[in-house]
Amino acid sequence: MEARAYLKYARIAPRKVQIVLDLIRNKPTKLALAILKHTPKAACEPVEKLLKSAIANAENNHNMDVNNLYVAECFVGEGPTLKRVRPRAKGRAFRVFKRTSNITIVLKEKE
């Protein structure tokens, strides 16, 4: 049995989220929450909220034991990119790409 949680269109670049997800992969949920709480990265806040959501899904929807859960899978994909314009010298304009992320966390129970 597995519990999933998705976060779509998070306004943070996938490269930044991937660093944080690598820290919590295959860890027990309590340890993963502690790691996220004490890591000074911008992506930790949305990932922590998503992990808490996945834990709640496991407990309420699938009747899984919260103490035996671990992060089985976690990955990030690229969402739609927002294209913006930044003014530059001599009347020119440069493109700025504001990237978004689609994050997925899968929890499983230890046997």
Side-chain angles (χ1 to χ4, degrees):
M1 185 77 82
E2 64 181 32
R4 291 176 174 262
Y6 304 99
L7 173 60
K8 292 185 138 198
Y9 314 121
R11 258 299 291 120
I12 186 162
R15 285 177 67 167
K16 296 177 181 180
V17 177
Q18 188 64 52
I19 293 167
V20 173
L21 292 180
D22 289 342
L23 294 174
I24 65 167
R25 191 173 287 116
N26 297 320
K27 300 266 191 317
T29 52
K30 298 230 169 152
L31 179 62
L33 283 170
I35 289 169
L36 291 172
K37 190 168 182 66
H38 297 292
T39 303
K41 291 278 187 192
C44 283
E45 188 180 338
V47 171
E48 183 180 2
K49 269 179 117 171
L50 185 64
L51 181 57
K52 286 179 180 176
S53 174
I55 293 169
N57 289 345
E59 185 177 16
N60 296 316
N61 300 345
H62 303 292
N63 299 319
M64 296 164 85
D65 183 20
V66 178
N67 298 322
N68 292 336
L69 293 176
Y70 73 100
V71 181
E73 291 177 54
C74 54
F75 53 90
V76 62
E78 196 167 328
T81 302
L82 307 173
K83 282 117 183 148
R84 299 293 181 258
V85 173
R86 178 156 178 78
R88 302 302 287 185
K90 299 182 180 177
R92 294 190 179 101
F94 280 9
R95 273 278 181 76
V96 176
F97 298 111
K98 298 192 176 267
R99 301 188 187 279
T100 61
S101 303
N102 297 330
I103 310 168
T104 304
I105 292 184
V106 179
L107 302 181
K108 289 187 181 173
E109 237 176 343
K110 282 186 194 148
E111 291 151 18

